[in-house]
Amino acid sequence: TFKILNDQEIKFIEYIPTEIISKNGLFNFRDALKQIHFPESLDSAEKARKRLSFDELFIMQMKGFIKRKDWEKKTASNIFEIEKHKEKIESFLENLPFELTNAQKRAVEEIISDLKSEKPMNRLLEGDVGSGKTVVGTVGMYLSYLNGFQSVLMAPTEILANQHFATINNLLSKFKIKIAIATSGKKINLDNFDILIGTHAVLSDKINFGKLGLVVIDEQQRFGVKQRAVIRSRGKNPHLLTMTATPIPRTVALTMYGDLDVSFLDEMPLGRKIIKTWLVPEEKRNNAYEWIEKEIIKNKTQAFIICPFIEESETMTTVKAATKEFEMLKKQNFPDMKLSLLYGKLKSKEKEKILDDFKNKKTDILVATPVVEVGIDIPNATVMVIEASERFGLSQLHQLRGRVGRNDMQSYCLLFTESKNPKTIERLKGMEKIHIGAQLAELDLRLRGPGEIFGTSQHGVRELKIASFSDFSLIEEARREAEKIFPKLKDYPKLLEKIKSENLSDIS
C-alpha cells in the first residue's frame, strides 16, 4: 500500500517478476512511484525514472510479441512454391544490371523463406535511400506472379509511385507481366494486372483484385493502421512487406516494430562513392554558389537546392522560402543556368513535367521543398544544397542527401545554416563524418530526442511517456528480459493481468 495526503491507502500491484527486479537492480513498483513524486535525492529520482522507464519498454516489447503471436496464428492461404521457380528467380537475379549487395541477398533470402511459410509474412525492410529496397521488393512480387498471385505496392506520394512504376517496369521488362498504376493523376491497366503500383488510390473499391498474394507498403509509417488493414483485406491473408528509408537504430527498430520480422539493408550498392558533405557558414555562401556553377559546367551534372517552406513565413523570417529563394537564385546567383521550382501543392502534371525536364537534363538546378525526400531518382544530379539545415533532423538530412550519389560520380552535399548555436553546429557537423543512416539517427536521438526524428504526426510510431528511445542500454535490457519471460507468460498471473488491462487479452 501507499499512503496519500488524505491518509487513504492505494494498493499497487508489483507485476514485474521478482527475479527481473533483483537482477537489474530496479526499485520495486511502490518505491518507484513514491520516489518519482517525492524523491529523497537526485539518485532516488533517477532510479525511480529507470524503473518506470523499464516497465514502459518491457510492456511495449510484450505488446509486440503478443501481436506477432496473434499474426502467426493466421494461416496463409497463399503459400508460395519456391523450388519449382528457383531457376527463374536465380536467372532474374543474375541478369540484373548490377550485383546485389550481401545485405540485399540476405534480405531476399529472408523474404523467400517467409513466402514459403505456412504463416503470412509480416516483415519490415529498413534501408537508407539508395540501398536497393525496391529491387528486393520486386523479387517478392516476381515470385508472387510466378505462383499465380497478384501484388500491390502502395506508396505515400505520386512522385514515389511513379518512380516505383518506372523502376519495376524496367526490372521486369523481359517478362510478360502486366503492371498497372493508380494515382489521382494516372490510371493504367487497372482492368487486368499482375502488379499494381500506386498511392491511396489503390484502396478504391472500383479496383478488382482477383487473387492478391502480396502487399508491399513503402514508407509504411506514413500510412495509418486502417489504410494498411484495408489494402490487406483485398486478399485472403496476403503476405505483407513494409519498407522504410527512415533511419532508425537497430535496437530502436526492434522495439518499435516488435511485432514484425525486420531485415536491415546496411550496405550501399557496389561502386557508390561516399557523398562528401560540408557545413557551409553564411560568410562562404557566395563562394559555394560559384563552386556549384563550376561543378555543373565542368562535369555536365545537376544540382538540388532544398528549402524547408514554400512561402516565406512572417513568424519565421530567417527560414528560406522556396519561391523567394528560387527568384533570388535565378536572378542573382545563377543567371546563366536553367532553374525550375518544385513543391507539393503543384498539380500532378506540372510535377511530372518539371521532373521529366530535370531528368532529361533540360534544367540544371531544381529548387524544391522536401517533397523530393522520397521517390526521385536523378542519376546525373551530384550536388545537394540544403538551406536552413538546422530546421531538419539528421535523419531527414540524410534522406535528402541520398537523392544524389546514385551513380559512380563523386557527389556532394552542402548544408547551409545561419545558426551560430554551438550545439546546432556540432549536430550538423555529424553529417560530415557519419554516412550511415542508423548511426545518424542514434546521434539525433541523443541530441534532440525521438520526437524530432519520427515526427509527432507519423502513424504507428509508439509514444513513450517516461522512457526514451535514446536510452539504448535500457531498451536492450528490457528486450532481453521480455524475450525470456514471454514463452512462459502464463506463469506470471500479475504480469498477465497487467497486459490484459491494456486490451491485449487475446493470448493463447
Side-chain angles (χ1 to χ4, degrees):
T1 60
F2 181 73
K3 283 193 175 185
I4 57 176
L5 292 179
N6 60 3
D7 289 332
Q8 287 182 311
E9 291 186 346
I10 300 175
K11 289 185 178 180
F12 294 100
I13 298 172
E14 180 59 81
Y15 53 88
I16 298 294
T18 306
E19 62 265 34
I20 292 179
I21 294 172
S22 175
K23 178 183 173 184
N24 294 280
L26 300 172
F27 268 170
N28 63 47
F29 188 45
R30 177 188 178 281
D31 289 346
L33 286 174
K34 181 178 180 181
Q35 293 300 322
I36 203 74
H37 289 97
F38 311 107
E40 295 172 359
S41 65
L42 288 175
D43 183 58
S44 293
E46 177 54 30
K47 285 182 178 178
R49 187 204 64 80
K50 179 183 177 181
R51 163 61 206 265
L52 298 176
S53 297
F54 180 92
D55 285 20
E56 198 171 8
L57 294 166
F58 183 81
I59 293 298
M60 179 182 285
Q61 299 283 6
M62 285 296 186
K63 287 181 182 180
F65 295 155
I66 290 168
K67 284 178 70 177
R68 181 195 290 253
K69 188 175 180 181
D70 182 56
W71 177 276
E72 290 175 353
K73 285 191 287 186
K74 299 175 181 177
T75 303
S77 60
N78 49 343
I79 300 171
F80 288 5
E81 176 63 52
I82 304 299
E83 289 302 317
K84 181 180 175 182
H85 305 293
K86 191 174 181 180
E87 287 186 12
K88 289 183 178 179
I89 290 294
E90 288 176 351
S91 176
F92 170 73
L93 294 174
E94 286 170 4
N95 286 290
L96 287 170
F98 47 81
E99 185 180 348
L100 294 184
T101 63
N102 289 329
Q104 285 175 308
K105 290 175 184 176
R106 185 173 62 246
V108 166
E109 288 175 4
E110 289 167 345
I111 288 168
I112 287 176
S113 178
D114 288 346
L115 293 174
K116 68 181 182 182
S117 171
E118 292 183 357
K119 69 178 192 304
M121 175 170 68
N122 190 21
R123 182 170 292 277
L124 173 69
L125 180 62
E126 182 193 334
D128 282 350
V129 172
S131 62
K133 294 183 296 298
T134 304
V135 69
V136 173
T138 302
V139 174
M141 289 186 277
Y142 179 47
L143 192 51
S144 179
Y145 161 77
L146 292 174
N147 278 269
F149 291 99
Q150 294 171 310
S151 299
V152 60
L153 189 158
M154 187 164 68
T157 66
E158 283 193 54
I159 291 174
L160 186 51
N162 287 327
Q163 183 67 54
H164 280 313
F165 182 66
T167 301
I168 293 168
N169 251 322
N170 184 48
L171 289 170
L172 298 175
S173 60
K174 295 179 181 179
F175 312 99
K176 295 179 180 179
I177 300 177
K178 298 167 188 171
I179 303 177
I181 186 168
T183 68
S184 60
K186 185 183 291 184
K187 291 175 177 61
I188 301 173
N189 299 333
L190 291 182
D191 294 331
N192 186 17
F193 60 84
D194 301 307
I195 296 173
L196 173 63
I197 298 163
T199 56
H200 297 75
V202 302
L203 301 175
S204 171
D205 292 333
K206 296 177 182 178
I207 297 175
N208 179 36
F209 290 98
K211 199 177 179 185
L212 182 60
L214 173 64
V215 173
V216 182
I217 299 177
D218 199 7
E219 290 303 322
Q220 62 87 30
Q221 76 281 0
R222 300 191 180 204
F223 293 102
V225 174
K226 287 183 180 178
Q227 291 167 324
R228 298 198 289 270
V230 167
I231 193 61
R232 287 198 64 251
S233 70
R234 296 288 193 263
K236 189 177 180 182
N237 285 336
H239 294 286
L240 178 62
L241 175 67
T242 58
M243 306 192 295
T244 184
T246 301
I248 306 170
R250 185 180 295 256
T251 301
V252 176
L254 292 172
T255 300
M256 286 176 59
Y257 304 111
D259 54 322
L260 307 178
D261 294 307
V262 185
S263 294
F264 296 93
L265 296 184
D266 48 10
E267 297 175 75
M268 294 303 283
L270 300 174
R272 291 275 177 91
K273 295 178 180 178
I274 288 176
I275 301 165
K276 292 183 179 179
T277 304
W278 299 309
L279 180 60
V280 182
E282 188 62 21
E283 60 269 21
K284 292 187 178 180
R285 177 185 291 272
N286 289 330
N287 290 340
Y289 287 145
E290 290 174 12
W291 177 86
I292 291 166
E293 184 168 4
K294 288 177 184 176
E295 183 70 19
I296 291 172
I297 295 170
K298 176 186 172 185
N299 297 313
K300 296 181 180 179
T301 56
Q302 295 161 283
F304 290 99
I305 296 180
I306 307 301
C307 303
F309 295 98
I310 299 171
E311 304 294 345
E312 189 171 24
S313 167
E314 291 179 9
T315 58
M316 305 176 79
T317 54
T318 60
V319 176
K320 297 289 180 181
T323 49
K324 184 178 179 182
E325 185 77 356
F326 173 71
E327 294 300 330
M328 186 191 74
L329 289 168
K330 194 164 61 168
K331 291 175 183 176
Q332 295 180 22
N333 303 103
F334 302 104
D336 300 323
M337 310 232 86
K338 294 176 183 176
L339 279 69
S340 56
L341 175 64
L342 178 70
Y343 52 91
K345 291 184 179 179
L346 288 173
K347 292 180 180 178
S348 297
K349 288 185 178 179
E350 291 178 292
K351 288 181 190 173
E352 280 189 39
K353 176 71 167 58
I354 292 166
L355 285 172
D356 284 343
D357 285 350
F358 192 51
K359 201 164 198 173
N360 294 323
K361 305 176 186 177
K362 292 180 181 178
T363 50
D364 303 305
I365 298 173
L366 180 64
V367 181
T369 60
V371 69
V372 303
E373 184 182 338
V374 293
I376 296 179
D377 188 7
I378 312 290
N380 194 54
T382 60
V383 178
M384 169 62 70
V385 177
I386 304 174
E387 287 283 3
S389 57
E390 75 281 357
R391 303 291 308 173
F392 299 92
L394 294 182
S395 293
Q396 193 176 18
L397 289 174
H398 181 65
Q399 286 180 286
L400 288 166
R401 174 168 65 181
R403 291 294 118 215
V404 297
R406 302 176 77 84
N407 54 34
D408 57 358
M409 292 187 288
Q410 181 61 59
S411 292
Y412 307 88
C413 178
L414 280 64
L415 306 175
F416 287 172
T417 181
E418 295 177 12
S419 173
K420 303 295 183 184
N421 187 315
K423 288 187 177 180
T424 299
I425 301 303
E426 178 195 358
R427 187 174 67 85
L428 293 174
K429 279 280 187 183
M431 290 286 292
E432 295 182 343
K433 304 168 188 174
I434 302 173
H435 295 86
I436 297 172
Q439 291 178 11
L440 280 168
E442 187 170 323
L443 176 62
D444 226 12
L445 271 168
R446 294 188 191 281
L447 295 177
R448 302 211 307 170
E452 298 291 349
I453 292 180
F454 306 121
T456 55
S457 63
Q458 290 192 16
H459 298 286
V461 174
R462 295 158 172 79
E463 291 184 7
L464 295 174
K465 294 177 181 177
I466 302 172
S468 171
F469 282 125
S470 60
D471 197 341
F472 301 114
S473 60
L474 193 63
I475 290 173
E476 289 177 350
E477 211 172 282
R479 181 175 179 81
R480 186 170 57 249
E481 298 297 348
E483 284 178 334
K484 289 178 186 175
I485 288 292
F486 183 69
K488 46 187 178 179
L489 182 56
K490 286 189 174 179
D491 294 340
Y492 299 90
K494 291 178 181 178
L495 177 58
L496 190 57
E497 190 62 35
K498 170 66 175 176
I499 294 171
K500 284 182 178 180
S501 72
E502 300 202 12
N503 298 318
L504 286 164
S505 56
D506 52 341
I507 307 167
S508 63

